Amino acid sequence: MARTPDADRFSTATRLRLLGEQTAARVYRSQNRRQARRSRLTGRAAFLALVVCSMVVALAYPMRQYVSQRAEIAEQERLMDEARTSVEQLKDEKARLKDDMYVRRLAREHLHYVMPGETGYTMIEPNAAEQQHEEGGAADRPWYSNVWNGVDNADGPGAG
């Protein structure tokens, strides 16, 4: 059987086409393997990560300032509430001091005032003199302190 030149050409062309397809398939497979092995960090992803990191660094200090200022504002608001409460208490006290009976009661309690015709008594604690004597004698103090205490005690209850 004799081959015609057209048959050889056709078969060579067919072979070349098949060879090209096989080669293309190998190249395609190798590219797929390379892409599978290549890390997923592309240039765009690296740039995006760099931008995000720089934004975090750039915003860290202002955020810290914001948080500290918010804490300071909360502290000042707390102090303002305390001051308001104190002002309200002082206003109440001022209103009570306008009442004569309240003022008389305070004078009796704190200043030991008595009304005309009443007899006032002052109770002295019996251990007070012993405690004063034990706290320190005349020898433990300088001479001028002893002289001054003598002048102060000259008009006291035990004098004369």
Side-chain angles (χ1 to χ4, degrees):
M1 188 157 141
R3 289 189 168 183
T4 61
D6 288 334
D8 286 340
R9 203 174 357 140
F10 180 71
S11 67
T12 305
T14 306
R15 283 187 208 146
L16 285 174
R17 187 173 43 87
L18 287 175
L19 227 127
E21 288 175 0
Q22 290 172 354
T23 306
R26 284 189 206 126
V27 168
Y28 181 71
R29 278 191 300 236
S30 69
Q31 284 179 350
N32 284 342
R33 285 187 205 135
R34 249 188 274 138
Q35 286 176 353
R37 279 187 244 132
R38 190 189 315 167
S39 73
R40 296 184 182 252
L41 185 66
T42 62
R44 288 181 185 169
F47 181 72
L48 180 64
L50 179 67
V51 168
V52 168
C53 288
S54 63
M55 292 296 288
V56 167
V57 169
L59 293 176
Y61 182 73
M63 285 303 294
R64 188 179 69 168
Q65 290 292 83
Y66 173 77
V67 169
S68 67
Q69 287 175 358
R70 292 302 301 168
E72 188 175 332
I73 288 170
E75 176 68 19
Q76 292 298 323
E77 287 175 349
R78 184 187 64 79
L79 291 174
M80 186 175 63
D81 289 341
E82 287 178 7
R84 280 188 188 138
T85 304
S86 175
V87 166
E88 289 298 321
Q89 289 174 351
L90 290 173
K91 283 182 181 178
D92 290 345
E93 183 69 19
K94 181 181 175 183
R96 276 184 272 166
L97 286 173
K98 290 181 180 177
D99 183 21
D100 289 337
M101 294 303 291
Y102 181 72
V103 173
R104 285 183 187 154
R105 191 185 87 195
L106 288 178
R108 283 175 176 257
E109 289 176 3
H110 297 289
L111 301 175
H112 306 289
Y113 279 18
V114 292
M115 297 300 286
E118 293 180 345
T119 306
Y121 295 99
T122 304
M123 301 295 291
I124 299 175
E125 187 177 340
N127 297 330
E130 292 176 10
Q131 287 176 354
Q132 185 179 9
H133 184 66
E134 290 174 359
E135 286 177 2
D140 296 338
R141 295 185 300 239
W143 65 270
Y144 51 86
S145 179
N146 291 333
V147 171
W148 190 254
N149 284 340
V151 171
D152 283 342
N153 293 334
D155 291 334

